[in-house]
Amino acid sequence: KYAQHIQETFLPDDFFVRESFPDSFILFKPKDIVSGDFYFFSKKDDLLIFAVADCTGHGIPGALLSTLGYGILDQAVNEIKLTEPSHILHHLYYKIHRFLRNDSEGNGIPDDMDIILCTLDTRTNKLKYAGVKNSLYCISDGLLHKYEAQNSPDISAQDCDCSFLSTNIQLKISDTLYLCSDGYSDQFGG
């Protein structure tokens, strides 16, 4: 229960997110007491940076990875001041692989995370996103658009060149975004 309290403490408060996205909601229902999924939100002037991630494993192993991942994302955005999604993902995967000692010889722990990470410029309504295995969903003009993740966790883990890709989308005021992990479909009861 204390681990659950720690995890809930570092996740952004719903009210903080709704200040920027008034019609938003967060559905966070861990399969176990603690979760391998996490969400991230930060505001830098007119730029909103948000993500949903799914770490390998459930329960305590997943929660340990989610705590590490959240801390690295927070460092990338709020300390190093990265705003480009591809650069943030590069930093995240480089650090995760370094901490888990996952190197080119196949040593260490091969665990990773699936993530969709977005930056939204509220002045221009331009969204940049980058993902690994998780897709971004957008409803625009009544149509559902699925934007597939274009990155692999294996690229850029060891080298300094950023080869993660970001994609730009020009949003309309009435567009609706959905970010999710497979945790929704993995809930008990199907």
Side-chain angles (χ1 to χ4, degrees), residues 13-51:
D13 189 86
D14 291 5
F15 296 115
F16 179 57
V17 176
R18 279 186 269 165
E19 283 179 350
S20 298
F21 295 118
D23 295 327
S24 67
F25 69 93
I26 297 171
L27 177 63
F28 181 71
K29 295 178 72 166
K31 180 179 177 185
D32 299 308
I33 293 173
V34 289
S35 177
D37 291 4
F38 70 91
Y39 53 95
F40 178 85
F41 182 85
S42 184
K43 183 176 181 178
K44 301 286 172 204
D45 299 319
D46 294 320
L47 196 64
L48 305 176
I49 302 169
F50 50 99

Side-chain angles (χ1 to χ4, degrees), residues 48 50 54 73 83 90 95 105 116 119 129 146 165 168 174 176:
L48 305 176
F50 50 99
D54 178 7
L73 274 182
T83 59
H90 179 266
K95 291 287 191 177
E105 287 82 40
I116 184 75
T119 60
Y129 81 95
K146 180 180 180 181
L165 301 173
N168 295 321
S174 60
T176 302

Side-chain angles (χ1 to χ4, degrees), residues 77-139:
V77 171
N78 295 313
E79 293 177 27
I80 301 174
K81 309 291 187 200
L82 298 177
T83 59
E84 176 65 37
S86 60
H87 297 160
I88 297 169
L89 285 189
H90 179 266
H91 180 80
L92 173 68
Y93 279 92
Y94 176 79
K95 291 287 191 177
I96 288 279
H97 289 177
R98 191 175 133 239
F99 284 133
L100 298 178
R101 297 190 176 112
N102 189 4
D103 55 29
S104 57
E105 287 82 40
N107 299 325
I109 301 169
D111 293 339
D112 270 313
M113 68 180 63
D114 305 342
I115 187 169
I116 184 75
L117 186 133
C118 303
T119 60
L120 176 63
D121 186 328
T122 57
R123 290 171 296 133
T124 63
N125 234 18
K126 185 170 282 185
L127 181 85
K128 289 184 180 183
Y129 81 95
V132 174
K133 297 185 184 174
N134 278 1
S135 298
L136 172 69
Y137 299 91
C138 178
I139 297 177

Side-chain angles (χ1 to χ4, degrees), residues 3-4 7 32-36 55-67:
Q4 179 184 33
Q7 190 172 50
D32 299 308
I33 293 173
V34 289
S35 177
C55 300
T56 302
H58 294 286
I60 294 172
L64 287 171
L65 280 175
S66 73
T67 304

